[in-house]
Amino acid sequence: MTTIVAFHAHPDDPVLLSGGTLARAAADGHRVVVVVATDGMVAEHPTPRWRELEASAAILGVRRVVHLGYADSGHGPVLHPDPPGRPRFARADTEEAAHRLAALLHEERADLLLGYDPNGGYGHRDHVKVHAVARRAARLTGTRLLEATLPREVVLRLVRVVRALRIPFRYDSAALAHRYSPASAITHRFDVRKFAGRKQAALAAHVSDVRGGGRLAAVLRVLVWLPAPVFGLVLGREWYVEVTEE
């Protein structure tokens, strides 16, 4: 049995980028731990997103969920002031955050760390920060690092389908052409269609995101409503880049 620590930015990220991988690893008997940098709170008032993360993680077979202690940095050009007692993750000191993550890797005796590609996927500032913090923590501990990503070519095909179906999608297609990773950089491709039903159920547990008014909400609603075999065709593969040069 190995221990896999998946480091993500926000509560809904683990299932979207690596839910099938985590479910497959848990089913194979490995210990899976999810660490999120933020608890999804942009304002100071609490949200149900943490409880939803716990429910989603349980569906995937995750054994432990940890909050690294930072606040969500939000979208848009304005980075709001820090809430009392904790900095927004984008504003946090990278070295300090990496040492927090490294301490958990040591505690868990982690064999593998999952992070994000250099673009932070689609470019959210908290995702970019996850990339930097995960790389530094991996160097501090000598932990093997795989960075979750998507091939750009796949992203653009999916965007064309979403546009053709007239599903509201508030992302810049031109910018996405330069996000995520080129197919040539991918080192690991996992077929997780066997766990599509579990991944879809874990996604549905994020009620606030699915029913909310976020930029991806309409797409999430469609994904949750899809028949499981169709969901598997759409989100039944997950991609990673192994970091070996550092």
Side-chain angles (χ1 to χ4, degrees):
M1 184 181 73
T2 61
T3 297
I4 300 168
V5 174
F7 181 41
H8 289 273
H10 309 110
D12 60 331
D13 291 326
V15 63
L16 286 170
L17 279 175
S18 58
T21 303
L22 302 185
R24 176 178 167 180
D28 287 343
H30 303 294
R31 177 174 172 82
V32 178
V33 176
V34 164
V35 182
V36 290
T38 79
D39 57 7
M41 289 172 56
V42 177
E44 295 180 21
H45 55 81
T47 74
R49 294 184 73 190
W50 185 261
R51 294 191 301 275
E52 292 167 359
L53 168 59
E54 291 179 323
S56 177
I59 292 168
L60 297 175
V62 173
R63 300 286 296 277
R64 181 185 180 192
V65 180
V66 181
H67 177 213
L68 204 60
Y70 299 97
D72 194 323
S73 303
H75 296 286
V78 178
L79 181 56
H80 295 286
D82 296 338
R86 55 190 180 142
R88 307 245 177 238
F89 188 49
R91 196 180 277 131
D93 180 76
T94 299
E95 191 71 10
E96 178 193 36
H99 277 273
R100 290 189 190 186
L101 180 58
L104 188 134
L105 294 174
H106 281 305
E107 178 187 343
E108 286 287 344
R109 298 182 181 179
D111 301 284
L112 176 65
L113 173 64
L114 305 182
Y116 293 160
D117 65 44
N119 290 308
Y122 66 91
H124 189 293
R125 52 194 167 213
D126 283 338
H127 288 231
V128 174
K129 192 75 167 186
V130 162
H131 164 76
V133 170
R135 284 222 174 176
R136 179 59 180 150
R139 288 197 298 270
L140 288 169
T141 60
T143 306
R144 183 185 178 196
L145 174 62
L146 295 182
E147 296 181 335
T149 189
L150 290 168
R152 288 173 188 158
E153 298 82 353
V154 171
V155 172
L156 295 178
R157 284 201 298 270
L158 291 173
V159 169
R160 285 195 291 271
V161 171
V162 168
R163 301 283 192 208
L165 294 175
R166 298 185 179 181
I167 301 170
F169 185 74
R170 291 178 284 167
Y171 288 87
D172 184 348
S173 299
L176 288 175
H178 303 285
R179 301 297 186 182
Y180 293 99
S181 301
S184 60
I186 305 296
T187 60
H188 294 69
R189 298 166 176 83
F190 296 140
D191 184 338
V192 295
R193 285 174 291 179
K194 181 179 176 181
F195 300 94
R198 194 173 299 181
K199 182 175 179 177
Q200 188 178 32
L203 178 60
H206 289 281
V207 178
S208 299
D209 296 289
V210 173
R211 296 183 182 175
R215 293 190 295 171
L216 202 59
V219 174
L220 296 181
R221 284 191 285 273
V222 171
L223 290 173
V224 167
W225 294 336
L226 287 176
V230 179
F231 181 91
L233 290 175
V234 177
L235 291 182
R237 289 176 175 82
E238 294 174 351
W239 295 268
Y240 299 85
V241 177
E242 182 159 11
V243 179
T244 58
E245 74 277 8
E246 299 193 18

PDB file of all heavy atoms in Angstrom, residues 76-103:
ATOM      1  N   GLY A  76     -11.021  37.387 -10.982  1.00  0.00           N
ATOM      2  CA  GLY A  76     -11.057  38.780 -11.392  1.00  0.00           C
ATOM      3  C   GLY A  76      -9.805  39.547 -11.036  1.00  0.00           C
ATOM      4  O   GLY A  76      -8.904  39.045 -10.368  1.00  0.00           O
ATOM      5  N   PRO A  77      -9.751  40.803 -11.478  1.00  0.00           N
ATOM      6  CA  PRO A  77      -8.546  41.603 -11.303  1.00  0.00           C
ATOM      7  C   PRO A  77      -8.289  42.062  -9.867  1.00  0.00           C
ATOM      8  O   PRO A  77      -7.162  42.439  -9.530  1.00  0.00           O
ATOM      9  CB  PRO A  77      -8.788  42.806 -12.220  1.00  0.00           C
ATOM     10  CG  PRO A  77     -10.284  42.930 -12.279  1.00  0.00           C
ATOM     11  CD  PRO A  77     -10.805  41.524 -12.226  1.00  0.00           C
ATOM     12  N   VAL A  78      -9.317  42.059  -9.030  1.00  0.00           N
ATOM     13  CA  VAL A  78      -9.166  42.576  -7.659  1.00  0.00           C
ATOM     14  C   VAL A  78      -8.877  41.429  -6.698  1.00  0.00           C
ATOM     15  O   VAL A  78      -9.644  40.459  -6.625  1.00  0.00           O
ATOM     16  CB  VAL A  78     -10.437  43.323  -7.206  1.00  0.00           C
ATOM     17  CG1 VAL A  78     -10.279  43.808  -5.771  1.00  0.00           C
ATOM     18  CG2 VAL A  78     -10.717  44.488  -8.142  1.00  0.00           C
ATOM     19  N   LEU A  79      -7.766  41.529  -5.985  1.00  0.00           N
ATOM     20  CA  LEU A  79      -7.455  40.590  -4.914  1.00  0.00           C
ATOM     21  C   LEU A  79      -7.849  41.270  -3.609  1.00  0.00           C
ATOM     22  O   LEU A  79      -7.189  42.195  -3.156  1.00  0.00           O
ATOM     23  CB  LEU A  79      -5.973  40.230  -4.915  1.00  0.00           C
ATOM     24  CG  LEU A  79      -5.506  39.236  -3.846  1.00  0.00           C
ATOM     25  CD1 LEU A  79      -6.296  37.931  -3.925  1.00  0.00           C
ATOM     26  CD2 LEU A  79      -4.019  38.965  -3.970  1.00  0.00           C
ATOM     27  N   HIS A  80      -8.949  40.820  -3.023  1.00  0.00           N
ATOM     28  CA  HIS A  80      -9.515  41.487  -1.857  1.00  0.00           C
ATOM     29  C   HIS A  80      -8.616  41.350  -0.636  1.00  0.00           C
ATOM     30  O   HIS A  80      -7.766  40.453  -0.569  1.00  0.00           O
ATOM     31  CB  HIS A  80     -10.901  40.911  -1.565  1.00  0.00           C
ATOM     32  CG  HIS A  80     -11.899  41.181  -2.647  1.00  0.00           C
ATOM     33  ND1 HIS A  80     -12.461  42.423  -2.847  1.00  0.00           N
ATOM     34  CD2 HIS A  80     -12.425  40.380  -3.615  1.00  0.00           C
ATOM     35  CE1 HIS A  80     -13.301  42.374  -3.866  1.00  0.00           C
ATOM     36  NE2 HIS A  80     -13.296  41.150  -4.356  1.00  0.00           N
ATOM     37  N   PRO A  81      -8.792  42.231   0.346  1.00  0.00           N
ATOM     38  CA  PRO A  81      -7.990  42.127   1.572  1.00  0.00           C
ATOM     39  C   PRO A  81      -8.157  40.772   2.233  1.00  0.00           C
ATOM     40  O   PRO A  81      -9.179  40.095   2.062  1.00  0.00           O
ATOM     41  CB  PRO A  81      -8.564  43.256   2.450  1.00  0.00           C
ATOM     42  CG  PRO A  81      -9.160  44.229   1.486  1.00  0.00           C
ATOM     43  CD  PRO A  81      -9.698  43.397   0.358  1.00  0.00           C
ATOM     44  N   ASP A  82      -7.162  40.386   2.991  1.00  0.00           N
ATOM     45  CA  ASP A  82      -7.212  39.106   3.689  1.00  0.00           C
ATOM     46  C   ASP A  82      -8.284  39.124   4.770  1.00  0.00           C
ATOM     47  O   ASP A  82      -8.463  40.138   5.461  1.00  0.00           O
ATOM     48  CB  ASP A  82      -5.866  38.804   4.355  1.00  0.00           C
ATOM     49  CG  ASP A  82      -4.748  38.640   3.343  1.00  0.00           C
ATOM     50  OD1 ASP A  82      -5.039  38.356   2.181  1.00  0.00           O
ATOM     51  OD2 ASP A  82      -3.576  38.793   3.748  1.00  0.00           O
ATOM     52  N   PRO A  83      -9.007  38.019   4.955  1.00  0.00           N
ATOM     53  CA  PRO A  83      -9.925  37.927   6.090  1.00  0.00           C
ATOM     54  C   PRO A  83      -9.123  37.796   7.378  1.00  0.00           C
ATOM     55  O   PRO A  83      -7.921  37.502   7.345  1.00  0.00           O
ATOM     56  CB  PRO A  83     -10.724  36.648   5.788  1.00  0.00           C
ATOM     57  CG  PRO A  83      -9.817  35.840   4.941  1.00  0.00           C
ATOM     58  CD  PRO A  83      -9.020  36.814   4.127  1.00  0.00           C
ATOM     59  N   PRO A  84      -9.746  38.015   8.516  1.00  0.00           N
ATOM     60  CA  PRO A  84      -9.023  37.954   9.780  1.00  0.00           C
ATOM     61  C   PRO A  84      -8.334  36.606   9.989  1.00  0.00           C
ATOM     62  O   PRO A  84      -8.940  35.546   9.833  1.00  0.00           O
ATOM     63  CB  PRO A  84     -10.119  38.169  10.834  1.00  0.00           C
ATOM     64  CG  PRO A  84     -11.191  38.930  10.109  1.00  0.00           C
ATOM     65  CD  PRO A  84     -11.159  38.400   8.703  1.00  0.00           C
ATOM     66  N   GLY A  85      -7.060  36.652  10.318  1.00  0.00           N
ATOM     67  CA  GLY A  85      -6.344  35.463  10.767  1.00  0.00           C
ATOM     68  C   GLY A  85      -5.717  34.596   9.706  1.00  0.00           C
ATOM     69  O   GLY A  85      -5.041  33.614  10.030  1.00  0.00           O
ATOM     70  N   ARG A  86      -5.905  34.902   8.430  1.00  0.00           N
ATOM     71  CA  ARG A  86      -5.305  34.056   7.393  1.00  0.00           C
ATOM     72  C   ARG A  86      -5.201  34.821   6.086  1.00  0.00           C
ATOM     73  O   ARG A  86      -6.099  35.596   5.729  1.00  0.00           O
ATOM     74  CB  ARG A  86      -6.122  32.783   7.181  1.00  0.00           C
ATOM     75  CG  ARG A  86      -7.567  33.043   6.869  1.00  0.00           C
ATOM     76  CD  ARG A  86      -8.392  31.781   6.915  1.00  0.00           C
ATOM     77  NE  ARG A  86      -9.772  32.099   6.603  1.00  0.00           N
ATOM     78  CZ  ARG A  86     -10.566  31.325   5.884  1.00  0.00           C
ATOM     79  NH1 ARG A  86     -10.123  30.184   5.419  1.00  0.00           N
ATOM     80  NH2 ARG A  86     -11.809  31.672   5.654  1.00  0.00           N
ATOM     81  N   PRO A  87      -4.109  34.611   5.336  1.00  0.00           N
ATOM     82  CA  PRO A  87      -3.947  35.309   4.067  1.00  0.00           C
ATOM     83  C   PRO A  87      -4.674  34.609   2.932  1.00  0.00           C
ATOM     84  O   PRO A  87      -4.950  33.407   2.995  1.00  0.00           O
ATOM     85  CB  PRO A  87      -2.433  35.247   3.832  1.00  0.00           C
ATOM     86  CG  PRO A  87      -2.018  33.979   4.505  1.00  0.00           C
ATOM     87  CD  PRO A  87      -2.916  33.840   5.708  1.00  0.00           C
ATOM     88  N   ARG A  88      -5.010  35.349   1.917  1.00  0.00           N
ATOM     89  CA  ARG A  88      -5.461  34.747   0.675  1.00  0.00           C
ATOM     90  C   ARG A  88      -4.287  33.930   0.118  1.00  0.00           C
ATOM     91  O   ARG A  88      -3.147  34.333   0.197  1.00  0.00           O
ATOM     92  CB  ARG A  88      -5.887  35.806  -0.315  1.00  0.00           C
ATOM     93  CG  ARG A  88      -6.921  36.780   0.265  1.00  0.00           C
ATOM     94  CD  ARG A  88      -8.241  36.659  -0.440  1.00  0.00           C
ATOM     95  NE  ARG A  88      -9.226  37.555   0.175  1.00  0.00           N
ATOM     96  CZ  ARG A  88     -10.376  37.158   0.684  1.00  0.00           C
ATOM     97  NH1 ARG A  88     -10.682  35.874   0.678  1.00  0.00           N
ATOM     98  NH2 ARG A  88     -11.217  38.015   1.208  1.00  0.00           N
ATOM     99  N   PHE A  89      -4.612  32.771  -0.468  1.00  0.00           N
ATOM    100  CA  PHE A  89      -3.549  31.853  -0.868  1.00  0.00           C
ATOM    101  C   PHE A  89      -2.597  32.479  -1.886  1.00  0.00           C
ATOM    102  O   PHE A  89      -1.386  32.275  -1.823  1.00  0.00           O
ATOM    103  CB  PHE A  89      -4.159  30.574  -1.426  1.00  0.00           C
ATOM    104  CG  PHE A  89      -3.157  29.489  -1.692  1.00  0.00           C
ATOM    105  CD1 PHE A  89      -2.220  29.126  -0.734  1.00  0.00           C
ATOM    106  CD2 PHE A  89      -3.160  28.813  -2.913  1.00  0.00           C
ATOM    107  CE1 PHE A  89      -1.293  28.115  -0.977  1.00  0.00           C
ATOM    108  CE2 PHE A  89      -2.249  27.803  -3.160  1.00  0.00           C
ATOM    109  CZ  PHE A  89      -1.304  27.456  -2.200  1.00  0.00           C
ATOM    110  N   ALA A  90      -3.111  33.245  -2.832  1.00  0.00           N
ATOM    111  CA  ALA A  90      -2.256  33.867  -3.839  1.00  0.00           C
ATOM    112  C   ALA A  90      -1.259  34.825  -3.218  1.00  0.00           C
ATOM    113  O   ALA A  90      -0.199  35.092  -3.790  1.00  0.00           O
ATOM    114  CB  ALA A  90      -3.110  34.588  -4.870  1.00  0.00           C
ATOM    115  N   ARG A  91      -1.586  35.359  -2.053  1.00  0.00           N
ATOM    116  CA  ARG A  91      -0.743  36.323  -1.369  1.00  0.00           C
ATOM    117  C   ARG A  91       0.183  35.654  -0.351  1.00  0.00           C
ATOM    118  O   ARG A  91       1.078  36.289   0.202  1.00  0.00           O
ATOM    119  CB  ARG A  91      -1.645  37.357  -0.680  1.00  0.00           C
ATOM    120  CG  ARG A  91      -0.964  38.633  -0.251  1.00  0.00           C
ATOM    121  CD  ARG A  91      -1.971  39.567   0.421  1.00  0.00           C
ATOM    122  NE  ARG A  91      -2.725  40.336  -0.548  1.00  0.00           N
ATOM    123  CZ  ARG A  91      -4.054  40.467  -0.556  1.00  0.00           C
ATOM    124  NH1 ARG A  91      -4.787  39.856   0.346  1.00  0.00           N
ATOM    125  NH2 ARG A  91      -4.646  41.214  -1.469  1.00  0.00           N
ATOM    126  N   ALA A  92       0.000  34.377  -0.103  1.00  0.00           N
ATOM    127  CA  ALA A  92       0.767  33.670   0.927  1.00  0.00           C
ATOM    128  C   ALA A  92       2.229  33.510   0.519  1.00  0.00           C
ATOM    129  O   ALA A  92       2.564  33.464  -0.673  1.00  0.00           O
ATOM    130  CB  ALA A  92       0.147  32.292   1.176  1.00  0.00           C
ATOM    131  N   ASP A  93       3.090  33.391   1.506  1.00  0.00           N
ATOM    132  CA  ASP A  93       4.498  33.139   1.255  1.00  0.00           C
ATOM    133  C   ASP A  93       4.666  31.695   0.756  1.00  0.00           C
ATOM    134  O   ASP A  93       4.253  30.747   1.437  1.00  0.00           O
ATOM    135  CB  ASP A  93       5.297  33.352   2.541  1.00  0.00           C
ATOM    136  CG  ASP A  93       6.771  33.096   2.332  1.00  0.00           C
ATOM    137  OD1 ASP A  93       7.446  33.952   1.746  1.00  0.00           O
ATOM    138  OD2 ASP A  93       7.249  32.017   2.749  1.00  0.00           O
ATOM    139  N   THR A  94       5.260  31.540  -0.415  1.00  0.00           N
ATOM    140  CA  THR A  94       5.376  30.210  -1.017  1.00  0.00           C
ATOM    141  C   THR A  94       6.191  29.264  -0.155  1.00  0.00           C
ATOM    142  O   THR A  94       5.834  28.088   0.011  1.00  0.00           O
ATOM    143  CB  THR A  94       6.006  30.318  -2.422  1.00  0.00           C
ATOM    144  OG1 THR A  94       5.156  31.125  -3.251  1.00  0.00           O
ATOM    145  CG2 THR A  94       6.185  28.943  -3.061  1.00  0.00           C
ATOM    146  N   GLU A  95       7.259  29.756   0.416  1.00  0.00           N
ATOM    147  CA  GLU A  95       8.114  28.893   1.230  1.00  0.00           C
ATOM    148  C   GLU A  95       7.382  28.409   2.477  1.00  0.00           C
ATOM    149  O   GLU A  95       7.458  27.235   2.838  1.00  0.00           O
ATOM    150  CB  GLU A  95       9.393  29.643   1.623  1.00  0.00           C
ATOM    151  CG  GLU A  95      10.471  28.775   2.237  1.00  0.00           C
ATOM    152  CD  GLU A  95      11.146  27.842   1.237  1.00  0.00           C
ATOM    153  OE1 GLU A  95      10.912  27.981   0.011  1.00  0.00           O
ATOM    154  OE2 GLU A  95      11.894  26.960   1.678  1.00  0.00           O
ATOM    155  N   GLU A  96       6.645  29.308   3.110  1.00  0.00           N
ATOM    156  CA  GLU A  96       5.896  28.914   4.302  1.00  0.00           C
ATOM    157  C   GLU A  96       4.833  27.871   3.949  1.00  0.00           C
ATOM    158  O   GLU A  96       4.681  26.853   4.643  1.00  0.00           O
ATOM    159  CB  GLU A  96       5.217  30.133   4.932  1.00  0.00           C
ATOM    160  CG  GLU A  96       4.375  29.777   6.152  1.00  0.00           C
ATOM    161  CD  GLU A  96       3.449  30.906   6.602  1.00  0.00           C
ATOM    162  OE1 GLU A  96       2.931  31.627   5.733  1.00  0.00           O
ATOM    163  OE2 GLU A  96       3.248  31.022   7.811  1.00  0.00           O
ATOM    164  N   ALA A  97       4.106  28.106   2.871  1.00  0.00           N
ATOM    165  CA  ALA A  97       3.072  27.154   2.455  1.00  0.00           C
ATOM    166  C   ALA A  97       3.688  25.808   2.091  1.00  0.00           C
ATOM    167  O   ALA A  97       3.129  24.750   2.422  1.00  0.00           O
ATOM    168  CB  ALA A  97       2.288  27.722   1.271  1.00  0.00           C
ATOM    169  N   ALA A  98       4.836  25.830   1.429  1.00  0.00           N
ATOM    170  CA  ALA A  98       5.505  24.579   1.059  1.00  0.00           C
ATOM    171  C   ALA A  98       5.939  23.804   2.293  1.00  0.00           C
ATOM    172  O   ALA A  98       5.854  22.571   2.323  1.00  0.00           O
ATOM    173  CB  ALA A  98       6.703  24.876   0.165  1.00  0.00           C
ATOM    174  N   HIS A  99       6.390  24.497   3.320  1.00  0.00           N
ATOM    175  CA  HIS A  99       6.788  23.804   4.550  1.00  0.00           C
ATOM    176  C   HIS A  99       5.572  23.219   5.260  1.00  0.00           C
ATOM    177  O   HIS A  99       5.674  22.141   5.867  1.00  0.00           O
ATOM    178  CB  HIS A  99       7.565  24.757   5.466  1.00  0.00           C
ATOM    179  CG  HIS A  99       9.014  24.856   5.112  1.00  0.00           C
ATOM    180  ND1 HIS A  99       9.964  23.993   5.607  1.00  0.00           N
ATOM    181  CD2 HIS A  99       9.667  25.707   4.285  1.00  0.00           C
ATOM    182  CE1 HIS A  99      11.156  24.314   5.115  1.00  0.00           C
ATOM    183  NE2 HIS A  99      11.000  25.353   4.306  1.00  0.00           N
ATOM    184  N   ARG A 100       4.420  23.898   5.192  1.00  0.00           N
ATOM    185  CA  ARG A 100       3.193  23.317   5.764  1.00  0.00           C
ATOM    186  C   ARG A 100       2.840  22.015   5.041  1.00  0.00           C
ATOM    187  O   ARG A 100       2.515  21.011   5.668  1.00  0.00           O
ATOM    188  CB  ARG A 100       2.025  24.299   5.630  1.00  0.00           C
ATOM    189  CG  ARG A 100       2.096  25.524   6.511  1.00  0.00           C
ATOM    190  CD  ARG A 100       0.774  26.288   6.446  1.00  0.00           C
ATOM    191  NE  ARG A 100       0.868  27.593   7.084  1.00  0.00           N
ATOM    192  CZ  ARG A 100      -0.147  28.429   7.274  1.00  0.00           C
ATOM    193  NH1 ARG A 100      -1.359  28.068   6.857  1.00  0.00           N
ATOM    194  NH2 ARG A 100       0.008  29.586   7.868  1.00  0.00           N
ATOM    195  N   LEU A 101       2.913  22.056   3.711  1.00  0.00           N
ATOM    196  CA  LEU A 101       2.601  20.866   2.935  1.00  0.00           C
ATOM    197  C   LEU A 101       3.648  19.782   3.168  1.00  0.00           C
ATOM    198  O   LEU A 101       3.311  18.595   3.298  1.00  0.00           O
ATOM    199  CB  LEU A 101       2.518  21.223   1.450  1.00  0.00           C
ATOM    200  CG  LEU A 101       2.192  20.078   0.494  1.00  0.00           C
ATOM    201  CD1 LEU A 101       0.867  19.409   0.855  1.00  0.00           C
ATOM    202  CD2 LEU A 101       2.156  20.584  -0.947  1.00  0.00           C
ATOM    203  N   ALA A 102       4.909  20.168   3.244  1.00  0.00           N
ATOM    204  CA  ALA A 102       5.979  19.194   3.479  1.00  0.00           C
ATOM    205  C   ALA A 102       5.799  18.490   4.816  1.00  0.00           C
ATOM    206  O   ALA A 102       6.044  17.277   4.934  1.00  0.00           O
ATOM    207  CB  ALA A 102       7.341  19.889   3.415  1.00  0.00           C
ATOM    208  N   ALA A 103       5.371  19.238   5.833  1.00  0.00           N
ATOM    209  CA  ALA A 103       5.145  18.619   7.149  1.00  0.00           C
ATOM    210  C   ALA A 103       4.070  17.545   7.054  1.00  0.00           C
ATOM    211  O   ALA A 103       4.190  16.471   7.668  1.00  0.00           O
ATOM    212  CB  ALA A 103       4.748  19.697   8.164  1.00  0.00           C
TER     213      ALA A 103
END
